[in-house]
Amino acid sequence: PGVSHSSDSHSFIQLIHANSGQTHYVRFSLDEFSYEEEKFSIQIGPNQFSENHLFLDLTAENLRMQGEISFHDNQRFPVSLFSPGIMGWYALVPFMECYHGVVSMQHKLSGNLTINGSTITYKGGKGYIEKDWGRSMPSDWIWMQSNHFDQDGEASFMLSVARIPWLRGYFPGFLSFLLVDKTLYRFATYNNSKVSSLRETEDRVEVVLSNKKHILEVGALKQEGGLLKAPKLGSMERHIKESILSSLDLVLKNREGQVIYAGRGNFAGLEIVGNMEQYYKNID
C-alpha cells in the first residue's frame, strides 16, 4: 500500500507474484486513503493493512483477490528515544529524501486469500513488514531480506546499502540487522559498522559487514523478478526489478573467527538498482 503526492496524486496497492514475476498496480483516489498516526494502520478503499492483519478486496485487470490474514507473535524492531528504529539517529535528521522503518521482523500467519478463484491457506506461514516514506528512493541501492531460515525458525535478516543524498553531495550508507537465537545484531552506518567489501557478479552479490565485535558475511543469489513502481520526487515513475524467490547465505562470526551462526535464507527479497559496487572498490 502507498500514497503518491505529486502532479498525479493518488493512493495505490502494488502486488508481485513470486513464481511468475507478474505485478499489479491498482490505483485509488486520495480520498480513499486513510491512516492512523499512533500506530501502523492504513486503509485504502475496503483494503486494510496493519501490524495485526491484512484484509484485501481487490479487482484489477486479470486479478480478483479477496481474503484476510491475521498476524501473530510479532517481533517488533526495538526503539528508543535516541534510536527510533532501524535508521538509528538518522531517523531524526530532517530533509532526507527517504526514510526506512521495520514494523515487524518476524510474525506468524493464519488466514486465507482467494485469488482468481483459487484459495491459498497461509496457516503456518511467516510474515515481515517494513515501510518507506519521503520524496524519492536513492539512485543506487541493494536491498535484501529473508526470514525463512531452516536452522532457526525465528531468524530474520535485512540489509540495505544505498547512495544517500546529503546536502549538495552524497555518501554510501547502509543498515542491517540479524535476529538469530533471540539475539539482535545490528550493523549500520550510524553505529560505526563498516562495509568491509561489496562484490557483484553475474549471478551473485556478496557483502561483508563488520563492527567492533562481529563480522557478517552475506551472499545473495540473483533470480528473475518482476517490475515494481518506485517514487521519484513523489511521482511513481521509476521501475525497479525485485525478486522474492532469491536465497541468501549468512555467516556470523566474532572477531576471533568463531562462527556464531551459519544458515541459508530462502524466499528472499532482492533488489539491485544502479551500481553500488563502484563506491566500495577501494576498500582495504
Side-chain angles (χ1 to χ4, degrees):
V3 61
S4 169
H5 294 287
S6 63
S7 59
D8 180 27
S9 294
H10 63 281
S11 58
F12 61 88
I13 297 172
Q14 192 163 200
L15 306 96
I16 182 170
H17 188 283
N19 292 322
S20 68
Q22 183 180 16
T23 58
H24 296 275
Y25 189 91
V26 187
R27 291 174 58 107
F28 296 83
S29 68
L30 280 183
D31 294 339
E32 295 176 278
F33 175 88
S34 62
Y35 71 100
E36 295 188 35
E37 292 193 8
E38 299 301 322
K39 62 181 180 180
F40 183 77
S41 180
I42 297 169
Q43 181 147 348
I44 301 179
N47 305 280
Q48 301 169 5
F49 305 83
S50 77
E51 61 180 342
N52 298 315
H53 86 292
L54 162 70
F55 174 82
L56 290 176
D57 185 0
L58 275 177
T59 300
E61 185 178 359
N62 301 320
L63 177 69
R64 180 70 183 117
M65 181 181 291
Q66 287 181 300
E68 185 169 11
I69 304 174
S70 296
F71 309 150
H72 315 277
D73 302 328
N74 296 42
Q75 296 288 318
R76 296 179 178 87
F77 194 90
V79 300
S80 64
L81 180 61
F82 296 106
S83 183
I86 186 67
M87 288 184 65
W89 59 267
Y90 277 103
L92 304 174
V93 177
F95 310 122
M96 295 190 71
E97 282 197 346
C98 183
Y99 296 87
H100 191 78
V102 175
V103 178
S104 175
M105 298 182 287
Q106 174 82 271
H107 52 263
K108 299 175 182 177
L109 308 178
S110 63
N112 305 286
L113 289 180
T114 300
I115 306 171
N116 294 338
S118 298
T119 298
I120 300 174
T121 299
Y122 286 83
K123 184 178 180 180
K126 298 177 182 180
Y128 172 84
I129 306 171
E130 64 175 48
K131 60 182 180 178
D132 294 281
W133 65 101
R135 301 187 306 276
S136 302
M137 299 294 283
S139 60
D140 306 77
W141 78 84
I142 296 172
W143 170 87
M144 60 183 76
Q145 180 274 328
S146 177
N147 58 357
H148 285 72
F149 292 87
D150 292 336
Q151 297 84 351
D152 184 342
E154 296 184 355
S156 184
F157 167 78
M158 188 275 288
L159 166 65
S160 178
V161 188
R163 180 183 185 270
I164 301 170
W166 183 254
L167 300 177
R168 295 185 179 182
Y170 69 89
F171 66 94
F174 77 100
L175 46 86
S176 179
F177 74 83
L178 172 61
L179 175 67
V180 64
D181 195 23
K182 300 187 184 302
T183 302
L184 183 64
Y185 299 89
R186 303 192 200 197
F187 297 84
T189 304
Y190 65 81
N191 70 0
N192 296 318
S193 299
K194 306 291 184 184
V195 176
S196 299
S197 69
L198 190 155
R199 301 288 183 269
E200 185 180 347
T201 66
E202 185 175 345
D203 60 351
R204 283 175 65 84
V205 57
E206 298 178 345
V207 186
V208 178
L209 309 177
S210 60
N211 58 29
K212 291 182 179 180
K213 295 183 178 180
H214 300 102
I215 297 171
L216 181 61
E217 301 172 353
V218 184
L221 181 65
K222 297 178 181 179
Q223 296 284 4
E224 288 300 317
L227 286 178
L228 296 173
K229 291 189 177 185
K232 182 177 181 181
L233 298 177
S235 296
M236 300 297 291
E237 60 183 51
R238 291 182 69 184
H239 288 87
I240 59 100
K241 182 176 286 188
E242 177 177 328
S243 167
I244 51 177
L245 280 182
S246 297
S247 61
L248 52 90
D249 296 306
L250 303 179
V251 179
L252 177 69
K253 304 175 183 178
N254 62 23
R255 276 294 185 174
E256 288 69 45
Q258 296 173 316
V259 175
I260 300 171
Y261 176 79
R264 168 164 289 189
N266 296 306
F267 309 111
L270 178 63
E271 297 174 357
I272 302 174
V273 180
N275 180 14
M276 282 305 304
E277 185 181 25
Q278 64 182 309
Y279 304 110
Y280 294 97
K281 282 186 176 179
N282 298 320
I283 294 177
D284 294 330

